[in-house]
């Protein structure tokens, strides 16, 4: 009787062999394009392997090593401080549990993401923790089809049916907007990057919800788009210059918002410069609220109010869930958890 291939167990040569009613040796030769297997049989075997989600494990032949105990981690880039801290914490927990990491980068490129997924699967990782690109393709279905445990972080893939852990970006952005309103701001502008990802859309949702809840009309003048450093090959840190140019255009129109929210603290560097050139005093003439609480934020003049993201807690929960999936102790899922960030109030908002 063919073996059950549902659930999160990784598909094996034995699974393929049982579904086609042939020996493991024949299946192995067919999938490696070795002689001794007819063309029709080879085609049938390959089709069945693809159907059930079998992916060759490059290390499966090593009986001496047994399980390699590896977790694949696929992120968009290491230049983003959030992802850098995320990987550091995942690795710390994985090492304590006897696992090592295979780190792969997608660089916000769907094609490179597909290569990263394929590489992780063929490397024989036991599970994958990933930050998806959320591009035009969905390579993650191949992971679930292959029975490899998958946990997503920071960005959602609705409908995939896997575990997900993230900062509560929508609530945090709503709270920062409401904080500005409580401090007296009415003409509030949000500078956001132009990536079409769930983290940005959730922040925009929170911004709009806060305005509407306080009777402030939302329109296109409330947001300004900062070109993303991740729309082209070669990820690098956000540049303050991008936000400087956007803020300068806004100020040249004669408008000086009394509250400015930015999508990350690096954007605040550019906004500070644009305001300073025009003699506009941060914390007096206008308020600024960042996002990320990067190490330089508290040393700006004035110190930047911002949002401290719970990256360590997100990483811990995602890794704990992955380890429970791997050792068979996981509660039924999928699980979705949103961890609340902390608002850090400083002198840029009169604190």
């Amino acid at each position: 009787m063919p073996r059950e291939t549902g659930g999160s167990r990784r598909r094996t040569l034995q699974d393929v062999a049982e579904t086609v009613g042939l020996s493991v040796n024949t299946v192995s030769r067919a999938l490696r394009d070795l002689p001794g297997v007819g063309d029709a049989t080879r085609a049938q075997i390959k089709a069945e392997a693809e159907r059930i989600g079998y992916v060759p494990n490059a290390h499966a032949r090593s009986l001496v090593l047994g399980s390699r105990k590896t977790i694949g981690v696929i992120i968009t880039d290491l230049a983003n401080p959030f992802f850098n801290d995320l990987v550091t914490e995942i690795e710390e927990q994985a090492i304590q549990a006897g696992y090592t990491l295979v780190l792969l980068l997608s660089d916000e490129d769907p094609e490179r993401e597909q290569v990263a997924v394929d590489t992780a699967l063929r490397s024989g990782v036991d599970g994958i923790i990933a930050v998806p690109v959320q591009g035009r393709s969905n390579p993650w279905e191949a992971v679930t089809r292959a029975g490899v445990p998958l946990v997503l972080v920071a960005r959602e893939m609705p409908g995939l049916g896997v575990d997900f852990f993230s900062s509560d970006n929508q609530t945090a952005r709503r709270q920062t907007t409401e904080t500005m309103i409580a401090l007296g701001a009415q003409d509030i502008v949000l500078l956001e990057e132009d990536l079409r990802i769930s983290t940005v859309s959730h922040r925009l949702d929170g911004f709009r919800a806060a305005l509407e809840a306080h009777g402030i009309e939302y329109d296109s003048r409330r947001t300004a788009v900062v070109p993303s450093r991740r729309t082209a090959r070669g990820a690098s840190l956000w540049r303050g210059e991008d936000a400087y140019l956007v803020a300068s255009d806004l100020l040249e129109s004669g408008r000086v918002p009394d509250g400015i929210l930015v999508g990350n603290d690096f954007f605040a560097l550019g906004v500070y410069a644009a305001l300073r050139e025009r003699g506009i005093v941060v914390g007096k003439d206008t308020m600024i609220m960042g996002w990320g609480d990067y190490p330089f934020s508290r040393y700006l003049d004035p110190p930047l109010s911002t949002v401290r993201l719970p990256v360590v807690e997100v990483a811990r929960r995602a890794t704990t869930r992955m380890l429970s999936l791997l050792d068979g102790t996981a509660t039924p899922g999928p699980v979705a958890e949103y961890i609340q960030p902390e608002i850090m109030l400083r002198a840029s908002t009169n604190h």
Side-chain angles (χ1 to χ4, degrees), residues 120-143:
L121 291 176
R122 293 185 182 280
S123 295
V125 297
D126 296 287
I128 296 175
I129 300 174
V131 178
V133 171
Q134 294 184 314
R136 57 185 176 273
S137 60
N138 181 7
W140 307 107
E141 292 178 345
V143 178

Side-chain angles (χ1 to χ4, degrees), residues 42-102:
R42 189 188 310 276
Q44 178 193 6
I45 291 171
K46 288 186 175 182
E48 186 60 22
E50 181 176 0
R51 186 190 71 79
I52 71 171
Y54 170 73
V55 178
N57 185 337
H59 305 294
R61 301 185 188 93
S62 178
L63 298 178
V64 175
L65 288 175
S67 173
R68 294 181 62 85
K69 298 199 74 171
T70 56
I71 297 174
V73 177
I74 302 176
I75 62 172
T76 56
D77 67 84
L78 278 174
N80 185 327
F82 180 92
F83 297 148
N84 198 315
D85 292 344
L86 183 81
V87 172
T88 299
E89 185 61 29
I90 291 173
E91 183 178 40
E92 179 66 24
Q93 280 204 72
I95 289 174
Q96 291 178 13
Y99 284 82
T100 57
L101 298 190
V102 175

Side-chain angles (χ1 to χ4, degrees), residues 166-189:
S166 174
S167 304
D168 189 346
N169 297 296
Q170 182 169 335
T171 299
R173 179 50 82 205
R174 176 169 182 157
Q175 291 176 342
T176 56
T177 307
E178 290 176 337
T179 296
M180 283 220 170
I181 294 171
L183 291 170
Q186 289 291 306
D187 184 13
I188 303 174
V189 175

Side-chain angles (χ1 to χ4, degrees), residues 257-330:
D258 52 14
I260 301 175
L261 301 167
V262 296
N264 63 75
D265 290 353
F266 287 92
F267 289 171
L269 297 175
V271 175
Y272 268 50
L275 292 169
R276 188 177 299 113
E277 285 181 358
R278 292 159 179 82
I280 302 170
V281 180
V282 176
K284 178 183 177 183
D285 302 322
T286 188
M287 293 181 285
I288 299 181
M289 179 81 74
W291 189 275
D293 194 28
Y294 301 131
F296 63 82
S297 303
R298 70 189 65 185
Y299 301 111
L300 294 179
D301 183 18
L304 178 66
S305 292
T306 186
V307 175
R308 178 176 294 171
L309 301 174
V311 57
V312 171
E313 187 61 24
V314 169
R316 285 176 180 169
R317 295 193 193 187
T319 310
T320 298
R321 180 64 177 177
M322 173 56 69
L323 293 173
S324 70
L325 290 170
L326 294 176
D327 66 19
T329 62

